Amino acid sequence: MRDVNADTEHLVPRPARAAVLARLAVPAGLLAAVAGAFAYVATVDPNEPGHYPVCPLYGYTGLYCPGCGGLRSAHAFIHGDLTAALQANAPAVAAYLAFAVLWTVWVIRAVRGRPMRLPLGPVHLWSLGAVLLVFTIVRNLPFGGWLHP
């Protein structure tokens, strides 16, 4: 009786499989690091004082930076509370989703043997910076209290 794998083994040679696994090493490592960080934040509640350091900008000036509330947002996001996650830090939720999309595209391109390219030009980076600056300013104004973490 013939081995079923013998018929299909010629389709993907062993060196090609090894090359694919080698190309997936970095995305897999990054995913493991991010998953580990999210697992830690999921188990250690940032809403309880004493577990994480205070934001230096908030500690010295009382102003919220664009990252303030990011840990609370991640904790709520992991526990499925999207409303609380968005209230704690909406740009962080957008970043979690963008990471998931970009990581998936990276893996697909790695499997196909294509390099990951993210053609961000100065206009894109300045626009992102401007959005975060406006978010930071509005969340620190009296009428922006709904954006406080």
Side-chain angles (χ1 to χ4, degrees):
M1 190 166 217
R2 261 173 92 172
D3 185 15
V4 175
N5 290 335
D7 291 338
T8 60
E9 194 166 341
H10 71 280
L11 296 177
V12 181
R14 287 200 186 276
R17 280 189 237 146
V20 169
L21 291 176
R23 289 191 302 263
L24 290 175
V26 175
L30 179 64
L31 181 63
V34 170
F38 268 80
Y40 182 78
V41 172
T43 57
V44 181
D45 189 357
N47 294 306
E48 296 178 16
H51 293 293
Y52 298 98
V54 175
C55 171
L57 181 67
Y58 182 75
Y60 289 120
T61 65
L63 297 173
Y64 297 108
C65 76
C68 281
L71 289 174
R72 282 172 272 202
S73 175
H75 182 78
F77 187 81
I78 292 166
H79 289 279
D81 190 355
L82 189 58
T83 304
L86 287 168
Q87 198 280 324
N89 193 322
V93 174
Y96 310 148
L97 299 175
F99 172 81
V101 169
L102 288 173
W103 186 87
T104 303
V105 169
W106 186 15
V107 167
I108 291 168
R109 291 184 67 84
V111 167
R112 293 179 179 170
R114 297 181 185 160
M116 178 63 179
R117 298 196 200 285
L118 194 59
L120 292 177
V123 172
H124 298 103
L125 298 175
W126 280 103
S127 299
L128 178 62
V131 167
L132 290 176
L133 180 64
V134 168
F135 172 73
T136 303
I137 291 170
V138 170
R139 80 184 320 198
N140 285 293
L141 292 174
F143 63 85
W146 57 280
L147 292 174
H148 291 179

